Amino acid sequence: MTNSVSSAKFTADAFFAGVGGIELGFEQTGKLRVLYANEFDKNARKTYSLNNPYIPLDGRDIHNVKTDEIPDCDIMMGGFPCQAFSIAGYRKGFADDRGDLFFEMLRMVNAKQPRIVFLENVKNLVNHDKGNTFKVIKEALTENNYYIKWKVLNGKDYGNIPQNRERIYVVAFKYKSDYDNFTFPEPVKLTKTLHDVIDFHNKKDEKYYYRQGKQPFYDKLVPEITSQDTLYQWRRQYVRANKSNVSPTLTANMGTGGHNVPLLLTDSGEIRKLTPHETFNVQGYPSDFKLPADTANGQLYKQAGNSVVVPVIHRIAENIMDVISKNDQPSSPARNSGSYALIYNSMDGRYSGESYVVDFNDDVNVLKQQVKTSGKPILTDDEYLKFVKNKKTGDFYMIEKC
């Protein structure tokens, strides 16, 4: 543990921790230390513990964790499992058993009332079930008195990492003064190339190479894999080159078969797949990040595909830590109590926006009256879903029963 982390002013609890990419991005600010982490997957825990021996790691199913068993914290973070919301998860959403894991994390949030809640998920979260899934998540946070901002960011545009990886980042603030002062980072120029994160030069273990007679589709690879400026994927019947000269999105499916791991052309003219270490490099992990020697490569590929682009997390974390470091007296306006919530929304298309509860009341008409002077519309659920479907931009209100 570095001195900067051990003496950090702010603390965090991490759920669905994976191998610790979100925590790493925050710890790199030097202003935060992780008090507790929870991860159910035993193979991911091995990688996590190898790199974070000082962080208490709980391997239980989150359903079995009692709120009084975890420490109070300033920031609660997690990349709650995305399979329930991704195309790869067959778009099951909350019907999938994994869909309730968000609500298990919300149980922890409600008990601990952290100053910040940080969530990461697949881009498709905002589109799933015509927008209903993300609507539920937003309302669950805002009706529990959090002010939220969200944005979809691409690793190549916001992390200077040569990977086309779009993810949604949600930052929820307990205090409106923190929310008002936070902005997501601006895009940065991509200066790193695949050659900065992948070794095209040196010989690797034979198991990573594709050979004549070893792969039945090898003859189809040779005429297509011709450049060292990009990576390739075998798509069952054809080879796909990534036209933007960065890595395609790494997926957890890399752990289920070699054809899912991106391919490259070596200096010697051979074709091979990325090594597990290279997949972590493509996610922006530091060169000294350790992988357990006794863990199968399939599991390591899965861990990398399930993980995050660390430099993007770090840039968001820098902005969060800057805001809360400077705001010694955080505050929020007073709100009434009531069974209905008046929720403000501002959206720039599907992939960027903010939302919070303006007020609560038992009388819907009182809430409607508050909106009249704003000149903004009050949308019904159906109108909201149409707004999302049409990728509209604008400010509006909704009234929801709590």
Side-chain angles (χ1 to χ4, degrees), residues 143 145 333-342 357-364 366-367 370 402:
E143 290 174 17
N145 294 307
R335 289 181 288 197
N336 296 308
S337 60
S339 54
Y340 291 91
L342 174 64
V357 170
V358 176
D359 205 359
F360 296 93
N361 206 290
D362 289 325
D363 188 337
V364 170
V366 171
L367 297 177
Q370 291 187 40
C402 301

Side-chain angles (χ1 to χ4, degrees), residues 30-50:
K31 297 178 181 179
L32 178 136
R33 58 193 172 94
V34 180
L35 301 179
Y36 166 94
N38 178 278
E39 172 52 50
F40 185 63
D41 184 273
K42 65 179 182 180
N43 291 298
R45 287 202 304 272
K46 287 170 67 174
T47 305
Y48 193 106
S49 295
L50 183 62

Side-chain angles (χ1 to χ4, degrees), residues 24 102 112 185 198 249 284:
L24 176 59
F102 164 75
K112 295 301 176 180
I198 296 169
T249 303

Side-chain angles (χ1 to χ4, degrees), residues 9-10 25-26 28-32 75 115-116 171 173 177-185 313-329:
K9 177 180 178 182
F10 298 102
F26 272 85
Q28 286 174 342
T29 68
K31 297 178 181 179
L32 178 136
I75 301 179
R115 185 168 176 177
I116 304 286
V171 188
F173 304 85
S177 55
D178 288 341
Y179 160 93
D180 288 338
N181 290 313
F182 171 81
T183 58
F184 281 99
I313 301 290
H314 176 65
R315 293 192 68 218
I316 300 171
E318 286 280 11
N319 287 12
I320 292 172
M321 304 312 294
D322 185 59
V323 166
I324 64 177
S325 296
K326 293 176 179 176
N327 191 5
D328 291 332
Q329 296 181 309

Side-chain angles (χ1 to χ4, degrees), residues 217 221 232-241 248-249 251 253 259-260 263:
F217 49 84
L221 301 180
Y232 300 83
Q233 290 171 295
W234 170 246
R235 291 301 203 185
R236 300 187 183 276
Q237 299 296 328
Y238 68 97
V239 176
R240 186 171 80 177
T249 303
T251 69
N253 291 336
H259 65 278
N260 292 311
L263 305 175

Side-chain angles (χ1 to χ4, degrees), residues 202-219:
N202 298 302
K203 186 72 175 176
K204 303 298 178 186
D205 191 288
E206 176 60 27
K207 63 188 175 185
Y208 298 115
Y209 290 85
Y210 283 40
R211 306 289 194 195
Q212 181 73 50
K214 186 177 175 184
Q215 282 81 20
F217 49 84
Y218 179 79
D219 287 340

Side-chain angles (χ1 to χ4, degrees), residues 111-377:
K112 295 301 176 180
Q113 292 292 303
R115 185 168 176 177
I116 304 286
V117 180
F118 179 85
L119 304 172
E120 181 265 0
N121 212 292
V122 294
K123 174 186 177 183
N124 190 56
L125 177 66
V126 299
N127 302 320
H128 178 264
D129 191 21
K130 302 178 180 178
N132 267 310
T133 301
F134 191 54
K135 178 178 180 289
V136 171
I137 290 172
K138 287 193 302 172
E139 289 171 3
L141 289 167
T142 57
E143 290 174 17
N144 282 281
N145 294 307
Y146 279 85
Y147 300 78
I148 70 170
K149 294 185 178 181
W150 72 91
K151 192 165 187 175
V152 171
L153 305 178
N154 195 320
K156 69 182 179 62
D157 300 321
Y158 290 86
N160 192 22
I161 287 295
Q163 182 190 175
N164 181 36
R165 189 179 189 86
E166 293 181 295
R167 288 295 186 269
I168 186 170
Y169 301 92
V170 181
V171 188
F173 304 85
K174 184 177 180 181
Y175 301 107
K176 192 169 187 296
S177 55
D178 288 341
Y179 160 93
D180 288 338
N181 290 313
F182 171 81
T183 58
F184 281 99
E186 295 296 319
V188 291
K189 183 179 180 181
L190 179 62
T191 60
K192 290 185 178 177
T193 71
L194 294 171
H195 292 263
D196 292 308
V197 293
I198 296 169
D199 181 5
F200 288 82
H201 318 303
N202 298 302
K203 186 72 175 176
K204 303 298 178 186
D205 191 288
E206 176 60 27
K207 63 188 175 185
Y208 298 115
Y209 290 85
Y210 283 40
R211 306 289 194 195
Q212 181 73 50
K214 186 177 175 184
Q215 282 81 20
F217 49 84
Y218 179 79
D219 287 340
K220 295 183 180 180
L221 301 180
V222 175
E224 300 293 335
I225 299 180
T226 59
S227 171
Q228 290 188 318
D229 293 328
T230 193
L231 296 181
Y232 300 83
Q233 290 171 295
W234 170 246
R235 291 301 203 185
R236 300 187 183 276
Q237 299 296 328
Y238 68 97
V239 176
R240 186 171 80 177
N242 195 295
K243 301 298 184 183
S244 57
N245 291 347
V246 297
S247 171
T249 303
L250 301 183
T251 69
N253 291 336
M254 290 191 301
T256 64
H259 65 278
N260 292 311
V261 183
L263 305 175
L264 64 100
L265 183 68
T266 68
D267 284 353
S268 58
E270 297 169 289
I271 297 169
R272 71 167 175 86
K273 61 184 177 181
L274 300 185
T275 67
H277 268 291
E278 287 172 329
T279 61
F280 278 92
N281 292 346
V282 171
Q283 290 280 42
Y285 278 78
S287 58
D288 60 355
F289 190 78
K290 305 179 186 72
L291 301 182
D294 59 347
T295 297
N297 279 353
Q299 287 296 326
L300 297 176
Y301 284 129
K302 177 183 175 183
Q303 291 169 24
N306 272 333
S307 195
V308 297
V309 178
V310 176
V312 175
I313 301 290
H314 176 65
R315 293 192 68 218
I316 300 171
E318 286 280 11
N319 287 12
I320 292 172
M321 304 312 294
D322 185 59
V323 166
I324 64 177
S325 296
K326 293 176 179 176
N327 191 5
D328 291 332
Q329 296 181 309
S331 61
S332 296
R335 289 181 288 197
N336 296 308
S337 60
S339 54
Y340 291 91
L342 174 64
I343 305 174
Y344 167 78
N345 293 271
S346 179
M347 294 177 62
D348 183 7
R350 296 175 180 173
Y351 303 125
S352 179
E354 49 193 86
S355 184
Y356 60 86
V357 170
V358 176
D359 205 359
F360 296 93
N361 206 290
D362 289 325
D363 188 337
V364 170
N365 290 321
V366 171
L367 297 177
K368 288 181 177 178
Q369 193 64 36
Q370 291 187 40
V371 178
K372 274 192 174 180
T373 57
S374 73
K376 307 295 182 186

